[in-house]
Amino acid sequence: MEAVELLKLAAANGIWAVLFVFLFLYQLKDGRTREQSYRKTIDTLGASLSVVGDIKEDVAEIKSMMNSAVVPVIKLKKENASEFEG
């Protein structure tokens, strides 16, 4: 237990040293917990981004299908409109 030895050494140097070491060790422990939480959040967001990529591919496919279906209809309308004009 390095923490216990460190506290004993700090106790020999006064109450402020003990408080400093205690707060320092507390921050280290709290930082580890916070880091694990952040890593879980990042992993979750990373998984969500792969879903967004799949949606983007599906939208591109739908757009290409719509464009291939709409272009012939537009050409037919233009051809029919020119027949009525002349």
Side-chain angles (χ1 to χ4, degrees):
M1 287 280 209
E2 294 174 8
V4 174
E5 293 173 16
L6 195 57
L7 282 175
K8 285 180 184 178
L9 182 63
N13 290 314
I15 188 71
W16 298 112
V18 173
L19 288 174
F20 173 79
V21 170
F22 173 76
L23 288 174
F24 181 72
L25 293 174
Y26 177 78
Q27 280 299 113
L28 287 176
K29 182 181 175 188
D30 188 48
R32 284 187 201 126
T33 306
R34 191 178 317 118
E35 181 71 22
Q36 289 173 352
S37 174
Y38 288 158
R39 287 185 185 270
K40 286 179 186 176
T41 302
I42 290 169
D43 291 341
T44 303
L45 290 173
S48 298
L49 286 178
S50 67
V51 171
V52 172
D54 294 341
I55 292 171
K56 182 179 178 181
E57 291 173 4
D58 291 343
V59 168
E61 183 180 338
I62 291 170
K63 279 184 175 180
S64 67
M65 289 171 38
M66 291 298 294
N67 286 336
S68 65
V70 171
V71 171
V73 172
I74 292 173
K75 287 181 181 177
L76 283 175
K77 284 185 178 180
K78 285 183 180 178
E79 289 174 2
N80 290 337
S82 62
E83 288 177 9
F84 291 116
E85 287 177 1

